[in-house]
Amino acid sequence: MTVLRPHAEDQHADELALLAKEDDRPRPPGWKLSPWAVTTYILGDGDRVTPKYVGARRIVEVAVATLATDRALLLLGVPGTAKTWLSEHLAAAISGDSTLLVQGTAGTAEEAIRYGWNYARLLAEGPSLEALTPSPVMRAMAEGRVARVEELTRMPSDVQDALITVLSEKTLPIPELNREVQAERGFNVIATANDRDRGVNELSSALRRRFNTVVLPVPATAEEEVDIVARRVAQLSRSLALPETATALSEIRRVVTVFRELRAGLTEDGRTKVKSPSATLSTAEAISVLTSGIALAAHFGDGVLRPADVAAGLVGAVVQEPVSDRVVWREYLETVVRERSDWRDFYRACREVS
């Protein structure tokens, strides 16, 4: 593929086709796969199907079971817990289409949830179906597919509440045409939200009741997080066609350790308390730091990922607030990193860019 980031249903088309061919279990109306096959696609089978999400199986089973009912699914968690990633793959496996997407921002208008108008045709012909511009949610309803709403809590509250009728009545009224769109079987909504970032608008109780909420946790152990980061870094390197680089697992483990210690406010051995910066320091950011380091090592180094290659990206991820975060980082560097004899190269590299 020549596109930079293929949609999940295109990138993993072979796996989806394989599962569909062998899937003899009951499928909910409108689904491409059975709930069991969807879960296998997400978690992998240890052989022909690669894992897309690394985490507790029960979390995925609850999410898939929710979508098999008339309840919408809300994936809740701190930034970097793979909410968007999981929602995309769930939509790809269930509907064969992950592109019916509404991106929530402070500027998202109600038309993104309901519908808009082609104003040239509206002025020339008046209200008509031809002049109407359907939203991704309206298209999902008409086609019996899964719609995705990203960063639901970033939308203004009145825009969020445009979903209430859709989720409760499975109907989208079009009063200008004196008609409505009723959801076909297979329609549902997957929304993602977090309550950590700035600019968050709390969900109304009426809207929250329409969702079944599944909380995605941060990776439970360092080994689990290292595994996630290593997999995604390898996938991104192939996707970006980066030159072959000797990626030392020790560097991945080191970045993950730094992030986990600063997030927790405690060193891995439990002996030293450290201050936490304002940054989220998510798994996704660790992946970004290491991918950037691989690009440096491949294009400007000797092809081996070294501490100097990851230092600049790591410091940039930690120090978001120039004053307070810099104090936290320097204290961590001097009281924790400096004392680790096998981290001396990393300490010097961080000192140089700090």
Side-chain angles (χ1 to χ4, degrees):
M1 296 184 183
T2 58
V3 296
L4 184 60
R5 188 187 183 283
H7 297 303
E9 59 271 21
D10 298 325
Q11 186 173 2
H12 301 284
D14 292 344
E15 293 181 7
L16 290 168
L18 174 67
L19 286 168
K21 182 179 179 180
E22 298 180 354
D23 186 14
D24 58 358
R25 303 192 181 213
R27 305 182 188 185
W31 283 39
K32 300 291 185 183
L33 299 172
S34 69
W36 176 87
V38 171
T39 303
T40 302
Y41 167 75
I42 298 294
L43 296 174
D45 64 356
D47 183 17
R48 297 172 296 174
V49 180
T50 58
K52 317 302 180 301
Y53 175 77
V54 178
R57 181 179 185 87
R58 197 59 176 173
I59 288 176
V60 177
E61 289 175 344
V62 170
V64 173
T66 295
L67 294 169
T69 70
D70 64 346
R71 297 274 289 177
L73 174 65
L74 176 62
L75 298 176
L76 188 67
V78 299
T81 48
K83 300 183 296 296
T84 298
W85 184 255
L86 181 56
S87 75
E88 178 185 359
H89 284 285
L90 284 170
I94 292 170
S95 298
D97 185 359
S98 64
T99 64
L100 298 173
L101 171 68
V102 177
Q103 180 61 57
T105 69
T108 300
E110 193 173 330
E111 287 80 2
I113 301 293
R114 300 176 71 242
Y115 53 86
W117 297 97
N118 179 329
Y119 285 103
R121 299 197 67 165
L122 184 65
L123 291 172
E125 306 169 7
S128 66
L129 279 177
E130 291 72 25
L132 185 144
T133 305
S135 70
V137 175
M138 177 182 277
R139 287 179 53 204
M141 294 177 71
E143 298 169 12
R145 298 180 184 271
V146 173
R148 298 166 54 211
V149 181
E150 291 296 314
E151 301 290 357
L152 178 60
T153 49
R154 290 200 175 282
M155 295 181 184
S157 298
D158 56 330
V159 178
Q160 294 175 11
D161 286 344
L163 280 169
I164 291 178
T165 301
V166 170
L167 298 182
S168 58
E169 304 297 329
K170 302 297 186 285
T171 298
L172 182 57
I174 311 174
E176 297 90 341
L177 302 180
N178 194 28
R179 62 186 301 164
E180 64 185 14
V181 174
Q182 291 185 297
E184 294 290 322
R185 288 187 171 186
F187 167 72
N188 215 326
V189 173
I190 305 174
T192 67
N194 77 78
D195 54 6
R196 281 282 301 274
D197 283 352
R198 296 174 182 174
V200 166
N201 300 302
E202 289 295 325
L203 300 181
S204 67
S205 57
L207 181 57
R208 189 177 281 271
R209 286 196 302 271
R210 268 69 181 183
F211 285 100
N212 187 29
T213 301
V214 173
V215 178
L216 298 186
V218 295
T221 66
E223 289 305 318
E224 187 177 294
E225 191 162 3
V226 167
D227 181 46
I228 294 169
V229 172
R231 287 175 185 272
R232 285 294 295 138
V233 166
Q235 291 170 355
L236 279 173
S237 296
R238 289 193 296 269
S239 175
L240 297 171
L242 291 174
E244 287 288 334
T245 303
T247 306
L249 191 62
S250 60
E251 292 305 323
I252 295 177
R253 193 181 306 279
R254 181 149 39 205
V255 171
V256 168
T257 298
V258 171
F259 274 35
R260 290 180 70 87
E261 289 182 336
L262 288 172
R263 280 200 313 251
L266 189 68
T267 55
E268 201 171 34
D269 58 12
R271 295 179 179 177
T272 307
K273 289 185 177 181
V274 298
K275 294 177 182 176
S276 296
S278 62
T280 307
L281 301 181
S282 65
T283 306
E285 289 170 289
I287 293 166
S288 177
V289 167
L290 285 155
T291 305
S292 176
I294 288 172
L296 280 172
H299 295 299
F300 302 104
D302 59 1
V304 178
L305 186 65
R306 301 186 186 280
D309 299 317
V310 300
L314 191 148
V315 173
V318 174
V319 181
Q320 299 290 313
E321 295 287 345
V323 178
S324 59
D325 286 350
R326 193 171 296 278
V327 171
V328 170
W329 172 243
R330 283 178 177 169
E331 184 176 315
Y332 176 78
L333 204 58
E334 297 300 328
T335 60
V336 177
V337 176
R338 186 179 183 180
E339 299 304 315
R340 293 173 174 165
S341 58
D342 55 338
W343 283 31
R344 286 173 183 168
D345 289 347
F346 179 71
Y347 171 74
R348 284 193 293 268
C350 290
R351 280 294 302 269
E352 286 177 8
V353 298
S354 296

